[in-house]
């Protein structure tokens, strides 16, 4: 929210008490408490103005938090209504030095904070080993009174109510670029944008977002996480051109500055703080097919689709039943529509006999026509209005109510229905929605603040469904397909991009959104292949297939039309078959990269600068990405097949050149842009110099034998010994074998006993014919 009119004026009806002075400081073990005030010229300036308490602490090494509080409405006996994000703290030692009335110096590992305490010179400066990162300077800490709202009545005189906001403005340096803030489909670089952290169902072609994460990552070597679950506004160089102005309605605001020598290190520290990304089962890397949304289907329709995939030799691993597996007006009652599926249990068993995993669509709403509505209303399982009535509306399901997940009995009730479906054979749940959560004139079972619950609800919803699954299957054998998210949601994978149109522009905006989310702590992501709204042209379908099968997860899904390939032409079936088989042979590589993400928070699909932070050319690129650490992917966003991409400088460039996946005789120089035209059988996939990529040509499905038929593709010579982790497809956090590749005059492999027989292939112009990469 913007409160100012340029540098000198404020908007009409806005008052700001700026904190420019440290009145006093209290230093305790591992914390600094400050009392902040406006400019103090004489004792009279202590009157008729706000003061703000500030606390400086460190939850983990390399992270320093600053908390500003105006009125102590919670701390001194008020009711803490919550909710709060649970942070993974370990209370490191915060080294503190105090030079009274001059400066307080705090240090947490490599991150420093200097607070200027000289009279009327309040300033905060965060620094790393190479100098300043960010800070707060003149007029960047304030309490705002907004009297433009309906509650501000002039007749109340001196007691007139005003909406209060806390404001923290953080400095942005010359040339600095900011990223993340969740899955945002707006421009990739967030500078110049106004961003509201407020989950909404807005599709992918607007500035609204399903997954709002109040964390941004800076090209200057730090990240900022604002620890607040409610509505928040960030003016990213859009109000003051040298700052990010962060405002929150209420009496307090807290942010954490997170240092990292590299962008990857920042993500690791952020995910260590907010929750470790969990792994997914190997079978989830298979191709998923859905019924699509409003299409008409029954058992015969589904069986026909599956036969079509089998007859065309297109590997398929997961079948998803979208909304209309249940009767209309009854979502969610968790019952298969008996008119369309008279023998649901038997049919799911028959699908299992085909080797398929089963996913079903759910949401956290219950329509009034559902038999569960009466039950939920009777027992108080739904969010209520302040007068005690069930909150209902018609926007989605007629008369629907929203499950109140703060009620333990409601959680148990909801969970039992999920358990029943799992007993029937369901392997995964698509947790749709979670954004349309009421916040006005409603109350929760546990008394939570409805505004703070609006975003947090997505976290709670996905956590509950994920926990039901993990209690049955274990963490590495469970996954969701979720649309909404909040900080910490990376613990409950996977997330997909939501409702996109069937256009090349929507395909590109989907990639931007996915890359932004994966710069916000998430390591897995998918999009609706072919686009959700509309029916894709055959060229778009094939290009999205290429892109979608080079995403961590791959699902064919639409709204009013099916996404089976042959309805767009048999050449589409050929492209889908080739892309699916290529992804399957990459399974050992995917499992290795996913394990890296689980440990360090590094996503599988990576913005170019995340992998190449020293190459300044990579920081604005949003039309290509690294698929893991070794493969550069440039999706084709044009019907004619024309694509322009950049080849970055690599640490290992002296050891070789980037090489085409499809034509190993074709090499690329680092630091150059290339423009190519590709048919539908290829796209730019480049193999990094000095890299070792494990593949397995024998695999028929990702969950197959990881070792039998394993190959290591080596591009160029290896500068030093590298360890390749072969991960167990049956247990994604278990390493079956570590293969050591050492630099010798001729590349040789050193393997332990369990990995004998692994083939090492030195890529050159002769290997193309040997490997069926197409």
């Amino acid at each position: 929210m913007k409160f100012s009119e340029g540098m000198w004026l404020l908007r009409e009806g806005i008052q700001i008490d700026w904190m420019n002075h440290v009145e006093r400081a209290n230093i305790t073990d591992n914390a600094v408490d400050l009392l902040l005030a406006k400019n103090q010229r004489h004792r009279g300036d202590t009157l008729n103005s706000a003061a703000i308490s500030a606390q400086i602490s460190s939850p983990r090494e390399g992270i320093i938090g600053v908390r500003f509080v105006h009125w102590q409405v919670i701390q001194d006996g008020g009711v803490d209504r919550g909710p709060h994000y649970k942070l993974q703290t370990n209370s490191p030692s915060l080294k503190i030095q105090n030079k009274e009335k001059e400066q307080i110096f705090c240090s947490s590992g490599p991150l420093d904070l200097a607070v200027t305490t000289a009279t009327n010179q309040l300033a905060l400066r965060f620094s790393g080993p190479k100098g300043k990162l960010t800070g707060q300077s003149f007029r960047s800490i304030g309490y705002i009174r907004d009297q433009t709202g309906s509650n501000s009545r002039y007749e109340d005189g001196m007691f007139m109510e005003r909406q209060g906001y806390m404001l923290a403005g953080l400095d942005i340096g010359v040339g600095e670029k900011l990223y993340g803030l969740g899955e945002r489909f707006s421009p990739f670089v967030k500078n110049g944008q106004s961003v509201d952290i407020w989950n909404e169902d807005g599709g992918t072609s607007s500035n609204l977002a399903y997954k709002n994460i109040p964390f941004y990552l800076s090209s200057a070597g730090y990240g900022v996480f604002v620890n607040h679950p409610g509505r928040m506004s960030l003016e990213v160089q859009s109000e003051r051109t040298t700052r990010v102005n962060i405002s929150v309605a209420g009496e307090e605001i807290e942010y954490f500055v997170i240092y990292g020598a590299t962008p990857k290190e920042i993500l690791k520290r952020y995910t260590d703080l907010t929750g470790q990304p969990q792994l997914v089962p190997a079978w989830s890397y298979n191709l998923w097919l859905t019924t699509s949304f409003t299409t008409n289907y029954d058992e015969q329709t589904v069986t026909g689709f599956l036969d079509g995939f089998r007859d065309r030799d297109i590997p398929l691993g997961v079948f998803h039943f979208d909304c209309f597996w249940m009767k209309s007006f009854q979502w969610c009652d968790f019952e298969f529509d008996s008119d369309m599926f008279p023998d649901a249990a038997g049919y799911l068993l028959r699908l299992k006999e085909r080797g398929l995993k089963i996913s079903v669509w759910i949401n956290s709403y219950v329509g009034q026509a559902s038999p569960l509505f009466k039950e939920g209303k009777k027992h108080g399982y739904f969010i209520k209005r302040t007068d005690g009535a069930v909150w209902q509306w018609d926007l989605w399901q007629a008369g629907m109510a929203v499950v109140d997940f703060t009620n333990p009995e409601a959680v148990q009730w909801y969970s039992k229905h999920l358990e029943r479906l799992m007993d029937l054979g369901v392997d995964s749940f698509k947790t749709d929605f979670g954004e349309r959560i009421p916040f006005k004139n409603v109350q929760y079972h546990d008394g939570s603040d409805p505004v703070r619950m609006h975003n947090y609800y997505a976290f709670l919803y996905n956590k509950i469904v994920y926990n039901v699954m993990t209690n049955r299957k274990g963490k590495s054998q469970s996954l969701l397909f979720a649309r909404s998210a909040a900080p910490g949601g990376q613990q409950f994978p996977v997330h997909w991009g939501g409702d996109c149109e069937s256009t090349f522009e929507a395909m590109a905006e989907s990639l931007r959104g996915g890359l932004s989310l994966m710069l916000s702590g998430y390591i897995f992501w998918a999009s609706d292949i072919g686009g959700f709204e509309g029916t894709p042209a055959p060229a778009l379908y094939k290009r999205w297939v290429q892109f979608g099968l080079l995403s961590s997860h791959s699902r064919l899904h639409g709204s009013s039309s099916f996404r089976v390939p042959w309805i767009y032409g048999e050449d589409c079936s050929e492209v889908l078959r080739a892309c699916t088989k290529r992804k399957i042979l990459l399974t050992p590589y995917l499992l290795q990269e996913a394990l890296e993400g689980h440990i360090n928070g590094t996503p599988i699909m990576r913005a170019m600068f995340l992998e190449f932070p020293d190459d300044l050319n990579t920081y604005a690129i949003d039309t290509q990405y690294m698929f893991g650490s070794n493969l550069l992917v440039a999706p084709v966003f044009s019907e004619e097949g024309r694509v322009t991409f950049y080849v970055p400088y690599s640490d290992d460039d002296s050891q070789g050149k980037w090489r085409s996946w499809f034509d190993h005789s074709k090499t690329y120089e680092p630091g150059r842009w290339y423009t190519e035209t590709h048919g539908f059988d290829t796209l730019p996939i480049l193999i990094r110099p000095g890299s070792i990529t494990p593949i397995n040509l024998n695999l028929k499905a990702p969950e197959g034998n990881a070792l039998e038929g394993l190959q290591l593709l080596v591009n160029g010579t290896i500068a030093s010994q590298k360890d390749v982790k072969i991960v167990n497809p049956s247990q994604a956090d278990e390493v079956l074998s570590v293969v050591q590749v050492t630099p010798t005059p001729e590349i040789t492999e050193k393997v332990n006993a369990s990995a004998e027989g692994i083939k090492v292939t030195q890529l050159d112009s002769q290997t193309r014919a040997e490997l069926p990469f197409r």
Side-chain angles (χ1 to χ4, degrees), residues 117-316:
T117 57
T119 302
N120 298 332
Q121 295 184 41
L122 170 63
L124 283 71
R125 177 187 172 98
F126 292 91
S127 302
K130 296 182 180 180
K132 180 180 177 181
L133 301 171
T134 186
Q136 296 193 257
S137 47
F138 181 67
R139 290 192 173 182
S140 63
I141 302 168
Y143 182 72
I144 296 166
R145 292 178 173 88
D146 181 357
Q147 65 185 46
T148 62
S150 58
N151 291 332
S152 298
R153 296 181 297 271
Y154 284 96
E155 59 267 28
D156 292 340
M158 64 183 295
F159 296 106
M160 182 175 70
E161 296 285 342
R162 298 173 176 87
Q163 173 62 58
Y165 294 87
M166 294 295 293
L167 174 68
L170 289 166
D171 297 340
I172 299 176
V174 176
E176 183 177 347
K177 296 178 174 61
L178 304 181
Y179 307 87
L181 296 174
E183 184 190 50
R184 316 208 75 84
F185 306 101
S186 56
F188 182 51
V189 179
K190 299 302 178 283
N191 301 56
Q193 299 183 41
S194 298
V195 176
D196 288 330
I197 302 296
W198 189 249
N199 284 1
E200 294 189 71
D201 175 10
T204 68
S205 59
S206 76
N207 63 342
L208 305 182
Y210 305 104
K211 309 171 186 68
N212 287 270
I213 312 297
F215 168 79
Y216 63 82
L217 191 152
S218 168
S219 63
Y222 68 94
V224 172
F225 171 56
V226 187
N227 184 27
H228 191 280
R231 185 191 291 270
M232 182 190 315
S233 174
L234 293 94
E235 297 295 339
V236 187
Q237 283 191 308
S238 49
E239 183 176 21
R240 289 294 300 274
T241 58
T242 56
R243 289 185 187 153
V244 179
N245 277 353
I246 308 167
S247 59
V248 173
E251 303 300 314
E252 63 181 77
I253 189 172
E254 180 179 38
Y255 68 82
F256 296 94
V257 172
I258 304 170
Y259 171 76
T262 65
K264 288 183 181 180
E265 188 175 314
I266 297 168
L267 285 181
K268 175 169 174 49
R269 284 200 167 106
Y270 170 71
T271 53
D272 284 345
L273 180 67
T274 58
Q276 185 181 40
Q278 292 304 309
L279 290 165
V280 294
W283 57 258
S284 71
Y285 298 117
N286 271 302
L287 177 63
W288 296 46
L289 173 67
T290 86
T291 59
S292 291
F293 173 31
T294 60
T295 51
N296 292 317
Y297 65 88
D298 53 17
E299 181 172 331
Q300 183 178 359
T301 307
V302 173
T303 301
F305 289 161
L306 300 180
D307 289 344
F309 274 78
R310 179 199 61 202
D311 296 344
R312 291 168 176 82
D313 188 30
I314 303 173
L316 184 66

Side-chain angles (χ1 to χ4, degrees), residues 357-593:
K357 299 292 185 180
I358 306 299
S359 168
V360 296
W361 178 97
I362 61 171
N363 59 205
S364 58
Y365 314 139
V366 180
Q368 186 169 279
S370 168
L372 298 185
F373 181 87
K374 185 176 181 180
E375 183 180 342
K377 179 181 178 181
K378 175 182 177 182
H379 295 289
Y381 294 156
F382 301 133
I383 295 172
K384 296 179 181 178
R385 298 186 183 275
T386 52
D387 63 3
V390 172
W391 184 91
Q392 292 180 259
W393 73 343
D394 292 330
L395 190 57
W396 183 236
Q397 290 290 281
M400 71 172 219
V402 183
V403 178
D404 183 351
F405 287 127
T406 73
N407 183 344
E409 292 183 1
V411 172
Q412 187 178 28
W413 173 70
Y414 192 87
S415 299
K416 284 187 178 299
H417 289 290
L418 302 182
E419 291 168 354
R420 175 172 53 78
L421 286 169
M422 294 179 72
D423 290 341
L424 201 64
V426 171
D427 299 286
S428 180
F429 295 104
K430 173 182 171 181
T431 51
D432 205 357
F433 286 84
E435 312 90 11
R436 296 182 180 181
I437 305 302
F439 60 95
K440 292 183 178 180
N441 302 316
V442 295
Q443 59 180 325
Y444 282 87
H445 175 82
D446 71 348
S448 287
D449 180 342
V451 175
R452 295 172 69 95
M453 272 297 299
H454 175 82
N455 288 351
Y456 189 86
Y457 187 93
F459 174 88
L460 202 55
Y461 168 35
N462 287 320
K463 177 183 178 181
I464 286 165
V465 177
Y466 187 76
N467 284 346
V468 170
M469 301 185 68
T470 55
N471 288 340
R472 290 292 183 95
K473 295 176 175 290
K475 281 189 176 181
S476 66
Q477 298 303 314
S478 303
L479 82 157
L480 311 175
F481 222 84
R483 188 173 76 174
S484 58
Q490 64 269 11
Q491 300 168 90
F492 321 120
V494 167
H495 293 78
W496 102 97
D499 298 348
C500 47
E501 297 173 327
S502 295
T503 65
F504 281 109
E505 291 78 11
M507 181 177 156
E509 75 197 11
S510 294
L511 175 58
R512 289 198 303 272
L515 293 180
S516 290
L517 182 68
M518 286 178 284
L519 289 172
S520 306
Y522 290 69
I523 68 172
F524 300 112
W525 179 84
S527 61
D528 287 344
I529 295 176
F532 178 73
E533 296 287 353
T535 299
L540 174 65
Y541 182 91
K542 287 179 279 192
R543 294 304 184 190
W544 211 317
V545 161
Q546 291 180 328
F547 164 50
L549 270 298
L550 288 167
S551 302
S552 79
H553 287 78
S554 309
R555 187 181 67 149
L556 297 163
H557 183 57
S559 177
S560 58
S561 56
F562 296 118
R563 291 292 178 265
V564 292
W566 51 88
I567 68 174
Y568 304 95
E570 285 300 342
D571 57 334
C572 295
S573 299
E574 294 171 6
V575 172
L576 181 59
R577 178 172 56 249
C579 292
T580 304
K581 289 188 174 183
R582 179 170 59 241
K583 186 178 183 184
I584 290 173
L585 71 83
L586 281 168
T587 299
Y589 174 66
L590 279 173
L591 291 172
Q592 175 185 255
E593 297 299 307

